[in-house]
Amino acid sequence: MDSERGLLVRLHIDPQLLSGALILCGLGLVVLYSAADQSIDVVMRQSIRMSIGIVTMLLVAQISPARLARWAPIIYLVGIGLLLAVYMFGTGRGAQRWLHLGVVQFQPSEIMKIAVPVTVAWFLFDKVLPPNLRTTIVALLLVLVPGFLIIEQPDLGTALLVMAAGLFALFFAGISWRWILSAAACGLLAAPLAWFLLHDYQRQRILTLFDPQQDPLGTGYHIIQATIAVGSGGISGKGWLNGTQSHLEFLPERATDFIFAVYCEEFGFIGVIVMLAAYALVLARGLSIAMSAQDSFGRLLAASLTMTLFIYIFVNMGMVTGQLPVVGVPLPLVSYGGTSLVTILAGLGILMSIQTHRRFIVDT
Amino acid sequence: MQKLPTLKDPNRELRIFQARIWAAIAMMVVLICTVIGRLAYLQIIEHRHFTTLSQDNRLKVLPIPPTRGLIYSRDGQILAENRPSFSLEMVPERVKDVPSALGEVANLLQLEDDETQRIIKAWERARGFDPVVVKTGLDERQVALFSVNRHRFPGFNIAARLARYYPKEAEMAHVIGYVGRINENEQRDLDATAYRGSTHIGKVGVEKAREGVLHGTVGYQQVEVNAQGRVLRIVTRVPPVPGHDIYLTLDAELQQIADQALADNNGAIVAIDPATGEILAFVSKPSFDPNLFVNGISTERYSELRESSDRPLFNRALQAQYPPGSTVKPMVALAGLEHSIRHSDDETWCPGWFSLEGDDHRYRDWLKRGHGQVDLTRSIAESCDVYYYALARDLGIARIHSMLSKFGLGRPTGIDLPGETGGLLPSAEWKRRARSLPWYPGETLITGIGQGFMLTSPLQLADATATLANRGARFAPHVVGQIEDPMAQLASEIGIHERPTLELAKASNWDAVIQGMVDVVHGASGTARRSGAGASFQFAGKTGTAQLFGIAQDETIDNDETLKHLRDHALFIAFAPVDNPEIAVAVVVENGGSGSRTAAPIARSILDYYLTGAVIAEGDSG
């Protein structure tokens, strides 16, 4: 048993994270089969993406935190460069998020979901913590510059998530509660102002949250139908492949952003608890890795990556259950689609790396 | 004050970090509890309510595309309408094996290969429950053929929808443009909600420029469906709001006359009402049938249109760049008067050629034997080149540039059609910047007769002619006259937009120049006197010839012997009546030879029709 554990450590694999990820991916494929109208094709495509993601995770786990810290500023600057490129040459009039690289379309904001927390952690780890005012301001700039570029695309949802990842690193570095609370207060006061800066469609989405009937062809319809799907699932659900909301096509985006609604409808409250338990397994492991990390780089990075993952889960579930505006955040590891899947698994790979590259392993 | 610690204190950092982790855990628990609470509320407490809703959830929302606005000419003829057309649609998720079913349908209806490619692409993009158009514009035979075989194709349906139709076919194509299927790029840029249910979008011309007005607002209906998804009844219906109708400023009859007058020639005609800037006729030849594009043009026909050396898709009136030739002479003459370089009775001796001092290059006059003593009026009437060589030399390129620029030559007029090009009005500064070369005096001379670098579109020429007709007043050219809301029966005029007037120091300077233009058609020695003969109104004109190839000094080329595609372009500008102008027109006939012989009679027939209603029989001018 002991030697087996040693082997996993040498391979830089963390069994708890790996099994949590596999359980969630598996759940994802099961729901996807139902949500995609029993299309084996779609399930196969997603399985391939998942395999790519898992391999990515295992490869990222081989990179030691020290090396990651060295690469951090480079990845960050490249990411900023790509965002500027999107800003100038991106495609799409409504929202410029994609960059064409020959055949591949590519969303640089996705890189920043990892690059921002890594860079902030790298910046903070040799500073005196809790950070003084100057350190805090520089760290904030590291967060706000990519945030601003992504807002300009415009992709408010991703921008907020990228910025949250960086701000969490600051939070865990011990920035004083007084600053946090005053910033929160300023935020609340500025909220009415922000309303005027929002795009029409963003305002519409927030308004729709309060009165879904207003927009029956757009997001309001999503919310109404998703709520019905979730509620009609009941305690034990309607059973796999039996969700009427999904199969009678009432539920839009049912394989991607709204897959949680399909899950709730077919597996009920009990199923939800099972899924939350699987997420809890991953999140708890992430935090315990953060607690036992040996330097502040590993600590800050592990903690902020874990918190970011939590935020994705919370935002998606809040959106599907009609508590948060529809912002287009997929459910980590479960939603259909490749980009965010690979990013999330790469994040888990970093967690594994932090855990398995410790110099003295004192396991309890 | 306590001194801040300057050294890292690992224990303190760890303590703070651990406290933060606990704070984060607390936050996670609180947030996750709100999610669990909400789920419990929905799934346990309100379960019964939502179960009822889901069982009753037989209500579907279906978009109803709006009817596209119609386009009329100013005299009320319909130019773009919507006709019922049958199309075959496929609901992908009801089809078991899409590629093979598509193959069979393609076989049955004899679809072309690239069409199946397009359908498969559309299918991959579509959500399973959104119908994909397989084939539009089915004829009755195809409808019948499919109906008989329908049982073989579950998930395929014939839908009747309205399709755009352009009754004037090629005649109006360069103004109205056409609609076509929404392509992938357009899809990405569209407001997806507003275009749910819409399949077509304006691609060129007024259809594109006024897409926002023509499209209308999507409606929707809530329908009740049974458990299999079949529609049982319509519950509520929010009707779509049809797009607004557009009345163009173009006169359909005049357009037809102009189109016929140009006959088989390549070229362009633009007629403007000088008092308003309204475009009365806008012809570019050759043209194409816009109806071909509405239901998707086949690759073969498209490449045929694209690769034709006559370039039928090219909007010559809007985008072509021709040297204006002698049509600029009235404007150069005006510059001479304005800067007091010439008085209207100053005479220049024309021996048939002109040389700059210290240069033995002979700049030739089109009339080899020369015009003799020429004053300003005669210089325009007879189009004496030597007069303008001398005048251009005395003015210099800067002053020529300044005056022609005031007429709007060499830059877009700002007409309400997409894709207008600028052209080129050369100056010494331009040449230094664009070519990194100095300006040579000889280039000033040929600019004075509208040759050399200068390039203008027929639209710009017509606009400049309208300015001449108005003695300086300039109105922005436009093709949309009125937009009408068919629901509210409300019409809104497109306002006339006045641009800064071209003010002269002496208003009487206009008289001398315009007199010269009148003599072009009515004078005894006017270059287009044959086209002025017998007119019941007085009009003013100016011939022009755009040289395609430089001709060596001592060489002469007889146009009749030149291959047609090497011949010069023929130009003519005109306005009438002189005292109270109602119409200004620019005619360009590609490879037409001389302006007086080819272009002027065309302009005359347009003026005749517009002012008197008379139609000159074809082939009059021989």
Side-chain angles (χ1 to χ4, degrees):
Chain A
M1 193 67 195
D2 215 48
S3 65
E4 207 175 302
R5 215 176 163 72
L7 178 71
L8 284 175
V9 169
R10 269 201 297 283
L11 291 174
H12 302 294
I13 293 173
D14 183 79
Q16 190 177 336
L17 280 181
L18 182 64
S19 48
L22 289 177
I23 292 172
L24 287 163
C25 285
L27 275 179
L29 290 179
V30 170
V31 199
L32 183 61
Y33 182 69
S34 176
D37 298 314
Q38 299 161 46
S39 156
I40 280 291
D41 230 39
V42 172
V43 173
M44 282 308 294
R45 238 178 292 168
Q46 183 70 355
S47 315
I48 292 168
R49 289 174 181 157
M50 281 177 178
S51 316
I52 294 172
I54 301 266
V55 170
T56 310
M57 172 176 79
L58 296 177
L59 288 177
V60 169
Q62 310 307 313
I63 304 168
S64 72
R67 180 169 299 178
L68 192 62
R70 276 201 302 279
W71 290 357
I74 300 163
I75 301 172
Y76 180 84
L77 288 176
V78 169
I80 293 281
L82 289 174
L83 282 178
L84 281 171
V86 172
Y87 187 67
M88 286 179 290
F89 323 107
T91 53
R93 188 189 58 193
Q96 304 195 326
R97 301 172 189 176
W98 298 89
L99 199 61
H100 284 276
L101 294 178
V103 244
V104 197
Q105 280 195 353
F106 174 75
Q107 221 175 340
S109 52
E110 205 62 37
I111 295 188
M112 294 318 264
K113 286 183 179 171
I114 294 211
V116 165
V118 172
T119 309
V120 175
W122 160 79
F123 174 72
L124 290 175
F125 91 103
D126 57 352
K127 304 285 180 296
V128 174
L129 297 181
N132 60 23
L133 186 62
R134 211 177 118 196
T135 311
T136 308
I137 287 172
V138 175
L140 277 177
L141 281 178
L142 286 175
V143 174
L144 293 178
V145 168
F148 172 76
L149 286 173
I150 300 171
I151 287 178
E152 280 297 300
Q153 290 184 356
D155 187 353
L156 188 61
T158 308
L160 289 177
L161 291 170
V162 165
M163 290 195 283
L167 294 178
F168 280 132
L170 261 178
F171 168 77
F172 287 113
I175 176 177
S176 88
W177 282 108
R178 203 157 9 123
W179 291 355
I180 297 173
L181 291 178
S182 6
C186 287
L188 279 180
L189 286 175
L193 187 76
W195 180 257
F196 293 102
L197 296 176
L198 289 179
H199 288 255
D200 277 346
Y201 78 93
Q202 291 166 335
R203 278 185 224 172
Q204 189 57 50
R205 283 182 180 182
I206 293 172
L207 285 179
T208 313
L209 188 65
F210 299 109
D211 183 12
Q213 304 292 347
Q214 247 195 15
D215 179 21
L217 275 183
T219 51
Y221 181 76
H222 291 212
I223 295 177
I224 297 169
Q225 296 301 339
T227 319
I228 296 176
V230 173
S232 64
I235 293 180
S236 53
K238 295 177 184 171
W240 190 44
L241 306 181
N242 287 330
T244 53
Q245 279 295 101
S246 350
H247 293 282
L248 289 180
E249 305 152 18
F250 288 111
L251 201 55
E253 308 283 343
R254 55 190 188 275
T256 51
D257 291 353
F258 279 81
I259 200 166
F260 186 59
V262 179
Y263 183 81
C264 289
E265 185 183 22
E266 299 192 346
F267 298 95
F269 192 66
I270 295 171
V272 171
I273 297 299
V274 170
M275 183 181 275
L276 287 177
Y279 278 123
L281 189 73
V282 173
L283 293 172
R285 184 59 182 163
L287 291 181
S288 97
I289 289 173
M291 293 279 250
S292 56
Q294 283 171 329
D295 57 21
S296 51
F297 176 71
R299 269 203 295 270
L300 297 178
L301 184 54
S304 46
L305 285 176
T306 310
M307 270 312 274
T308 314
L309 178 66
F310 169 76
I311 289 296
Y312 289 148
I313 301 165
F314 173 72
V315 169
N316 180 275
M317 292 185 173
M319 167 181 106
V320 170
T321 53
Q323 289 171 295
L324 293 176
V326 175
V327 284
V329 173
L331 187 61
L333 305 178
V334 175
S335 280
Y336 181 64
T339 329
S340 89
L341 183 74
V342 173
T343 318
I344 301 261
L345 285 169
L348 295 183
I350 292 178
L351 288 178
M352 289 189 180
S353 155
I354 293 169
Q355 174 67 5
T356 56
H357 282 88
R358 291 179 302 163
R359 266 158 295 167
F360 313 102
I361 298 177
V362 196
D363 235 307
T364 43
Chain B
M1 213 175 110
Q2 198 192 336
K3 210 179 166 223
L4 287 168
T6 48
L7 285 173
K8 273 178 89 76
D9 176 353
N11 285 327
R12 180 162 180 259
E13 283 182 17
L14 187 61
R15 227 170 36 245
I16 291 174
F17 179 74
Q18 281 169 342
R20 286 297 158 99
I21 289 280
W22 286 114
I25 291 175
M27 190 174 97
M28 284 184 182
V29 169
V30 169
L31 290 180
I32 217 66
C33 280
T34 64
V35 169
I36 294 179
R38 172 75 174 172
L39 283 163
Y41 170 77
L42 294 176
Q43 298 198 297
I44 301 171
I45 300 171
E46 291 288 315
H47 170 57
R48 201 180 284 269
H49 168 65
F50 283 114
T51 304
T52 323
L53 277 186
S54 114
Q55 273 160 5
D56 291 352
N57 201 352
R58 305 280 185 248
L59 294 185
K60 274 189 133 173
V61 180
L62 300 176
I64 315 172
T67 316
R68 198 173 174 85
L70 306 178
I71 302 177
Y72 296 96
S73 65
R74 78 184 297 142
D75 47 335
Q77 295 195 37
I78 193 145
L79 306 179
E81 60 181 315
N82 305 306
R83 283 191 172 178
S85 122
F86 297 99
S87 55
L88 183 63
E89 296 182 344
M90 165 185 79
V91 180
E93 62 184 8
R94 304 231 182 96
V95 183
K96 274 273 171 286
D97 177 2
V98 174
S100 86
L102 273 179
E104 281 180 57
V105 169
N107 245 334
L108 183 71
L109 299 180
Q110 288 157 3
L111 302 185
E112 285 163 42
D113 231 25
D114 53 312
E115 269 182 276
T116 23
Q117 284 308 313
R118 179 193 63 73
I119 300 160
I120 287 184
K121 259 187 139 174
W123 160 55
E124 282 166 350
R125 211 172 50 227
R127 297 185 292 186
F129 48 88
D130 280 341
V132 172
V133 176
V134 176
K135 168 91 181 149
T136 49
L138 297 178
D139 56 33
E140 281 168 29
R141 195 187 56 85
Q142 285 169 312
V143 171
L145 195 60
F146 178 79
S147 303
V148 173
N149 290 283
R150 173 174 205 147
H151 60 277
R152 286 167 51 201
F153 304 109
F156 285 80
N157 272 316
I158 288 198
R161 49 172 80 219
L162 292 173
R164 202 63 157 170
Y165 180 70
Y166 303 103
K168 297 280 179 188
E169 297 178 352
E171 207 175 285
M172 286 281 184
H174 284 297
V175 185
I176 295 175
Y178 51 83
V179 296
R181 276 206 201 88
I182 299 172
N183 66 28
E184 265 172 273
N185 285 332
E186 289 158 343
Q187 187 85 47
R188 207 169 18 213
D189 295 348
L190 280 180
D191 175 349
T193 308
Y195 276 80
R196 272 196 72 180
S198 299
T199 52
H200 286 67
I201 191 168
K203 302 267 184 180
V204 200
V206 172
E207 290 273 30
K208 177 179 176 149
R210 300 291 173 157
E211 173 64 28
V213 173
L214 289 165
H215 179 258
T217 310
V218 65
Y220 59 90
Q221 54 187 356
Q222 280 187 308
V223 295
E224 190 181 319
V225 294
N226 68 10
Q228 281 75 47
R230 184 180 295 275
V231 175
L232 298 178
R233 71 186 178 96
I234 294 168
V235 183
T236 52
R237 189 168 188 277
V238 176
V241 182
H244 293 182
D245 297 339
I246 286 179
Y247 282 84
L248 298 185
T249 59
L250 274 83
D251 183 309
E253 298 288 342
L254 188 69
Q255 176 84 359
Q256 191 186 353
I257 295 285
D259 187 78
Q260 286 167 358
L262 205 46
D264 291 334
N265 293 298
N266 291 357
I269 298 175
V270 177
I272 300 185
D273 180 347
T276 57
E278 291 175 342
I279 302 283
L280 301 169
F282 194 90
V283 175
S284 171
K285 274 203 159 182
S287 186
F288 58 93
D289 181 358
N291 294 303
L292 290 176
F293 288 86
V294 174
N295 288 325
I297 187 168
S298 70
T299 336
E300 213 173 296
R301 308 261 327 240
Y302 188 55
S303 51
E304 201 178 296
L305 283 175
R306 269 192 81 109
E307 282 153 28
S308 161
S309 58
D310 288 332
R311 302 216 284 156
L313 297 178
F314 181 51
N315 192 336
R316 288 169 163 77
L318 189 67
Q319 300 171 315
Q321 312 266 292
Y322 301 106
S326 303
T327 58
V328 298
K329 283 177 183 167
M331 301 171 231
V332 177
L334 208 53
L337 294 173
E338 188 62 7
H339 294 286
S340 304
I341 301 285
R342 292 284 184 282
H343 292 289
S344 54
D345 41 12
D346 285 348
E347 291 189 339
T348 300
W349 172 253
C350 167
W353 53 270
F354 181 84
S355 276
L356 282 169
E357 227 169 288
D359 182 359
D360 58 1
H361 182 88
R362 287 187 166 191
Y363 295 87
R364 301 167 351 142
D365 194 284
W366 67 271
L367 192 62
K368 221 175 165 187
R369 63 182 149 83
H371 297 268
Q373 285 289 352
V374 179
D375 66 2
L376 184 134
T377 315
R378 251 189 83 199
S379 79
I380 296 175
E382 296 180 13
S383 200
C384 171
D385 290 333
V386 169
Y387 183 92
Y388 289 94
Y389 293 142
L391 175 55
R393 178 199 57 197
D394 298 345
L395 274 169
I397 185 63
R399 287 192 279 201
I400 296 176
H401 179 274
S402 151
M403 176 57 76
L404 296 185
S405 161
K406 284 178 187 158
F407 279 93
L409 294 182
R411 62 170 190 274
T413 63
I415 192 173
D416 49 351
L417 285 174
E420 190 184 6
T421 53
L424 177 57
L425 187 57
S427 65
E429 196 251 342
W430 160 81
K431 201 180 171 201
R432 206 168 29 246
R433 188 161 30 84
R435 306 265 168 104
S436 311
L437 286 170
W439 185 265
Y440 299 113
E443 291 165 346
T444 306
L445 302 195
I446 56 174
T447 306
I449 63 162
Q451 307 284 2
F453 300 110
M454 201 186 325
L455 293 170
T456 57
S457 70
L459 173 62
Q460 284 166 23
L461 273 183
D463 185 30
T465 310
T467 308
L468 277 170
N470 282 340
R471 294 159 184 258
R474 286 170 56 72
F475 300 95
H478 57 278
V479 296
V480 173
Q482 197 173 307
I483 293 173
E484 198 174 276
D485 179 352
M487 303 293 278
Q489 303 261 301
L490 265 180
S492 51
E493 294 273 346
I494 299 295
I496 294 165
H497 176 59
E498 188 168 0
R499 296 173 296 185
T501 300
L502 200 172
E503 299 277 4
L504 292 187
K506 257 172 73 189
S508 64
N509 286 345
W510 292 108
D511 300 334
V513 168
I514 290 173
Q515 186 55 50
M517 291 179 71
V518 170
D519 286 355
V520 168
V521 286
H522 297 299
S525 61
T527 50
R529 59 189 178 278
R530 284 207 306 178
S531 294
S536 59
F537 47 86
Q538 198 187 35
F539 73 108
K542 181 70 197 82
T543 51
T545 303
Q547 278 176 13
L548 288 186
F549 296 93
I551 297 164
Q553 245 174 17
D554 305 315
E555 191 182 344
T556 49
I557 284 195
D558 185 342
N559 267 332
D560 287 335
E561 285 170 11
T562 323
L563 289 172
K564 177 152 187 189
H565 70 273
L566 294 177
R567 272 191 229 157
D568 296 339
H569 295 330
L571 288 85
F572 193 70
I573 59 171
F575 63 87
V578 173
D579 295 329
N580 181 25
E582 292 171 35
I583 180 169
V585 61
V587 177
V588 178
V589 183
E590 284 186 8
N591 314 115
S594 86
S596 58
R597 206 164 0 156
T598 344
I602 293 174
R604 167 71 191 274
S605 66
I606 291 168
L607 299 182
D608 268 341
Y609 176 78
Y610 192 71
L611 295 173
T612 69
V615 179
I616 296 181
E618 252 182 277
D620 231 23
S621 51

